Amino acid sequence: MSDTLLSALVLIPALIFAIVFHEVSHGWSALALGDTTARDMRRLSLNPIRHVDPLGTVILPGALALLGAPVFGWAKPVPVNARRLRNPRYGMMAVAAAGPASNLVLAAIAAVGLGLLGRGLQAQPEGALALAMMGLNYFILINIFLALFNLLPIPPFDGSHIVEGLLPRDAARAYAKLRPLGLPLVFLLLLVLPSLIPGFDLIGRFLTPVVMRAQDFYYSIAAWAAGG
């Protein structure tokens, strides 16, 4: 089996779980704040079949991974009814923040697991251990990237809901008008323009350095768990 195929077989399940957990966290947060919509529609399950979008959860991220491009994706959004939240304005901010926060928690758990697997290793891991450690490395990076990527203030990302809640009401209404542009705006800013305009790389210039610093932080957690 080629290294590329093996990497894809490890990366794609990790990505699916991270995306699904992210979406379910929105639903759990909404439920805690008074909105039962996701629970009523049976979307609080971690069963990926209820959340997977074939294009956004499997095809696109898998293709990006194989091409060596920045990997991102999405699941079917967990439904949230802002009017049923106890405080719709700030409740939506909390619901939006719950997704990225859940990914950062998953990255921390994976870092501890990576450190425990590496505890006492005197040589390069092989076999199942090497595969497990590779999977945890991917899982840490995927969750960091998903968290920070979703905090970008571009509709429909979580960051846009947070910004909308922070803006004065008139400015928030104007900003919300960008939401219908949704994914076309994302593809334009993050995929099309970088390929057409040299140097126009929002992810490479602004997001990747932050992801790398965060990755160093999580590897320090792994080193602590390994007893280093």
Side-chain angles (χ1 to χ4, degrees):
M1 184 180 296
S2 70
D3 290 342
T4 300
L5 180 57
L6 182 62
S7 295
L9 289 175
V10 174
L11 186 149
I12 291 175
L15 181 63
I16 290 173
F17 181 80
I19 292 175
V20 168
F21 197 88
H22 176 111
E23 286 298 330
V24 173
S25 295
H26 289 312
W28 286 333
S29 177
L31 180 63
L33 295 173
D35 176 25
T36 63
T37 304
R39 184 189 66 187
D40 297 341
M41 296 182 67
R42 301 179 65 197
R43 291 294 304 279
L44 296 184
S45 168
L46 289 175
N47 180 355
I49 294 175
R50 295 185 182 173
H51 304 281
V52 165
D53 178 294
L55 173 62
T57 318
V58 180
I59 297 173
L60 177 64
L64 292 173
L66 292 174
L67 292 171
V71 176
F72 67 91
W74 61 86
K76 296 176 185 176
V78 166
V80 177
N81 187 339
R83 289 175 293 183
R84 299 179 69 179
L85 299 172
R86 285 189 284 273
N87 186 324
R89 181 175 173 86
Y90 297 108
M92 279 304 297
M93 292 174 62
V95 170
S102 71
N103 290 126
L104 296 177
V105 171
L106 287 178
I109 294 171
V112 171
L114 182 64
L116 293 176
L117 285 179
R119 184 186 288 266
L121 276 181
Q122 301 297 323
Q124 190 76 11
E126 298 179 355
L129 179 59
L131 191 63
M133 295 183 74
M134 180 175 70
L136 287 172
N137 269 297
Y138 275 136
F139 196 59
I140 292 169
L141 184 58
I142 285 169
N143 277 286
I144 294 170
F145 188 83
L146 280 176
L148 298 178
F149 186 77
N150 275 281
L151 287 173
L152 291 173
I154 305 171
F157 295 151
D158 299 325
S160 68
H161 292 285
I162 296 172
V163 169
E164 192 174 323
L166 292 172
L167 290 172
R169 293 189 183 276
D170 288 344
R173 282 192 288 269
Y175 182 72
K177 291 180 180 178
L178 294 174
R179 199 165 300 285
L181 297 175
L183 291 176
L185 181 62
V186 172
F187 277 94
L188 176 66
L189 291 175
L190 303 183
L191 292 178
V192 177
L193 290 181
S195 66
L196 297 177
I197 304 174
F200 191 95
D201 184 1
L202 297 180
I203 291 179
R205 181 172 295 182
F206 299 108
L207 188 61
T208 300
V210 182
V211 170
M212 294 299 100
R213 285 196 291 271
Q215 189 177 30
D216 289 341
F217 168 74
Y218 281 102
Y219 281 156
S220 71
I221 294 177
W224 167 80

